[in-house]
Structure formats: structure tokens, C-alpha cells
Amino acid sequence: MPRAERGMVVGLFGGSFNPPHQGHALVAEIAIRRLGLDQLWWMVTPGNPLKNRNHLAPLPERIALSEAITHDPRIKVTAFEQTLGMSYTANTLAHVKARNSQVHFIWIMGADSLNTFHRWQKWQEIARTFPIAVIDRPGSTLSYLSAKMAKTFHYARVDEDDARILWKKPAPAWTFIHGRRSPLSSTALRAAQ
């Protein structure tokens, strides 16, 4: 697990990154800038329990490719979930929170994940662990209106103009951040191979 100092604001950006691409890098860049992050932990997961693992590239390869496209020194590429033997986000976030009680974390996700977020194990617990920043992705701009998570936690939505103070809000708190979008997707890149 990367090291963070007391009082830092750290984004947690998890995914299979199979493969990582410039769309992921753009989400990370937008999150750092709009949320005022001191660090962003780019968490390469062993595998998504909701996705088929038949075409999952080896973890070391996905880590190396992620490192190759991340140039901001505030981004820390890590695969500590593998070391911990965890594959569910709720368990990972509980562990991160317990080990870093003096750090302010924000869960980062692309808007394409918001539509299926309610299928994640303990998704409501995730929303109650750390504030969440949802970064716009092509085809998902309106997901903040219709996604089950957005409807369930409608009362906890923070205006994107206040994204820089999201870390100060007790969870559940979430925001949807509009901005540049990349049409790249890991699914499409795998299909083109």
C-alpha cells in the first residue's frame, strides 16, 4: 500500500485496467485537478468479480502498462489488493480506512461504472465508507440521473463546483464531474487485438 501523510487528500482509483489506456489516465488527471488531490492510488485489481477473467492479462503486465501511461508523480500505481488477498472493493476500502485513519480518501470511478455500481458487493457500504467522485465517460453522462446508486443517495450529492471540498464531507457524499471524455475503452481495445 502506498504511503500517505496525515491530512493528505488521496484518490482511490481501482480497476482491472485490462488494458490501461489514455481514457484511464484522463480520469486520473481530471480527478487530481478537480478534487485537489495530493495523491491518486491507481489500484490495479487482481480481477473484477463481475467480469469474465478469461481474457485478463497477467497482473504484472497490467501494472507495467499502467506505469507506462501515468506520468504525474502524484499517481502511485499499486496492486496491494493482491497482497492482501482481497477482490471486493468494500473489503479493500475498510482495510485502507483502518490503516490510514488520518488520511482523507475519495473513491474515484468512471461514470460507466456508476450504472452497475449497485451490483457490487456491499455497494451501499462502499458509499458510506468514503466520498465518491464519478468522472464523466462517453455514453454515461446522464447516469447520475438514472443509476440506482444516484437515486439511493440523491440526498448526498455534492455540486461539482464544490468538488474540491468533497473530502471534507462525511460519507455518503458524492459528486459527478463533467469534463473532457475519452472514447477509449478496455473492452474495445481487447476486441481490436
Side-chain angles (χ1 to χ4, degrees):
M1 187 178 304
R3 179 172 165 71
E5 301 296 330
R6 178 188 186 105
M8 278 187 165
V9 180
V10 177
L12 302 173
F13 182 36
S16 301
F17 302 109
N18 186 42
H21 53 72
Q22 288 304 318
H24 295 129
L26 179 61
V27 167
E29 173 196 321
I30 290 169
I32 288 170
R33 185 171 31 86
R34 296 286 301 275
L35 298 167
L37 301 178
D38 296 305
Q39 290 183 7
L40 182 137
W41 295 0
W42 180 297
M43 301 176 356
V44 184
T45 65
N48 183 332
L50 295 175
K51 292 183 179 176
N52 184 333
R53 295 184 188 207
N54 290 343
H55 302 288
L56 188 63
L59 185 61
E61 180 180 323
R62 292 181 285 128
I63 292 168
L65 291 170
S66 295
E67 289 172 338
I69 65 168
T70 56
H71 306 293
D72 190 317
R74 292 171 289 187
I75 297 174
K76 313 297 181 193
V77 175
T78 179
F80 69 86
E81 284 178 300
Q82 173 76 16
T83 306
L84 298 173
M86 295 182 174
S87 60
Y88 291 104
T89 301
N91 298 339
T92 300
L93 297 188
H95 184 81
V96 167
K97 186 174 188 175
R99 300 251 342 248
N100 299 278
S101 62
Q102 302 300 314
V103 177
H104 308 286
F105 289 101
I106 300 173
W107 178 251
I108 312 293
M109 74 165 95
D112 49 336
S113 295
L114 185 62
N115 288 323
T116 59
F117 187 63
H118 66 280
R119 294 178 47 214
W120 295 21
Q121 185 186 62
K122 301 180 184 177
W123 67 276
Q124 292 189 31
E125 186 177 313
I126 295 169
R128 290 185 177 100
T129 302
F130 295 131
I132 298 173
V134 182
I135 312 296
D136 199 3
R137 293 277 293 136
S140 300
T141 300
L142 298 179
S143 62
Y144 71 95
L145 298 174
S146 59
K148 186 170 182 174
M149 181 277 206
K151 289 180 178 180
T152 302
F153 293 103
H154 66 90
Y155 65 90
R157 183 164 174 231
V158 174
D159 189 280
E160 74 177 289
D161 290 341
D162 294 326
R164 285 187 86 77
I165 60 168
L166 181 65
W167 66 270
K168 295 181 180 182
K169 306 286 184 184
W174 67 281
T175 192
F176 191 99
I177 298 177
H178 295 85
R180 286 189 307 133
R181 297 172 294 170
S182 168
L184 295 173
S185 84
S186 295
T187 304
L189 290 173
R190 283 193 310 274
Q193 292 178 347

